[in-house]
Amino acid sequence: VLTNAGVYAAPKTVYKANNNSTGGNLQTIAKNIGVKLVSALAEDSPYLSSYSSSGRTYVKDPKKNTEAAIKEALDRNPEGVVLFFQKGSRGHAIAAGKYDEKGIIYCDPGRTKGSMIRWEDTWCRYSHKMTLEHIDYIMAFDID
């Protein structure tokens, strides 16, 4: 387990458990690091669109609900959640580690390794010109 600014984060762990690759089968990655995939949101959450057996939690009406959904996911999973964003052919994954009165704080190994950053500094926003509404799904992990 890695810590960034006192927040536990797993992107590098996931990367190493997947043969130093960012792509791959998420169930296999979870198994390799000894966790199971769980819904990031409560079953009765107003932000939950659906949860798939592949471990993907989908946000209802991402244009309005993404930030609130990520905060709920962090309340349920204080160790952090992995967020996948998609805009056209571009996709990127980052981790959300915590939030404060200014908003959500992320870990984005593709942008600033070892640093906790705000949305504006993530690769999703900086390079891909995405907004939070471009969220594809959220993933949460629980210890087996």
Side-chain angles (χ1 to χ4, degrees):
V1 176
L2 303 175
T3 61
N4 289 314
V7 178
Y8 290 100
K12 191 170 185 178
T13 306
V14 172
Y15 179 79
K16 285 186 173 187
N18 194 40
N19 297 318
N20 296 326
S21 172
T22 56
N25 180 291
L26 297 172
Q27 286 94 352
T28 302
I29 295 169
K31 182 180 174 190
N32 287 346
I33 61 174
V35 298
K36 64 182 176 179
L37 302 169
V38 296
S39 180
L41 301 172
E43 194 174 298
D44 62 349
S45 172
Y47 313 118
L48 178 65
S49 173
S50 65
Y51 173 71
S52 74
S53 61
S54 65
R56 297 174 181 192
T57 302
Y58 295 95
V59 176
K60 185 186 298 181
D61 196 358
K63 194 171 197 172
K64 290 189 330 189
N65 295 326
T66 299
E67 184 170 0
I70 295 169
K71 288 178 178 179
E72 179 185 316
L74 287 170
D75 288 342
R76 289 176 49 86
N77 306 279
E79 66 283 353
V81 293
V82 180
L83 312 169
F84 293 84
F85 291 87
Q86 188 75 39
K87 181 179 179 185
S89 63
R90 292 179 178 246
H92 193 74
I94 59 176
K98 63 181 179 177
Y99 65 92
D100 60 19
E101 67 281 346
K102 295 178 184 176
I104 301 165
I105 303 171
Y106 303 92
C107 176
D108 185 354
R111 176 82 170 123
T112 55
K113 292 175 176 48
S115 298
M116 300 303 287
I117 57 178
R118 299 292 178 172
W119 172 254
E120 297 77 27
D121 296 317
T122 66
W123 200 247
C124 294
R125 182 72 185 120
Y126 179 80
S127 178
H128 298 314
K129 309 297 185 216
M130 295 177 187
T131 63
L132 287 175
E133 73 183 73
H134 290 105
I135 195 160
D136 190 9
Y137 54 90
I138 303 171
M139 296 201 68
F141 304 93
D142 199 4
I143 297 172
D144 269 338

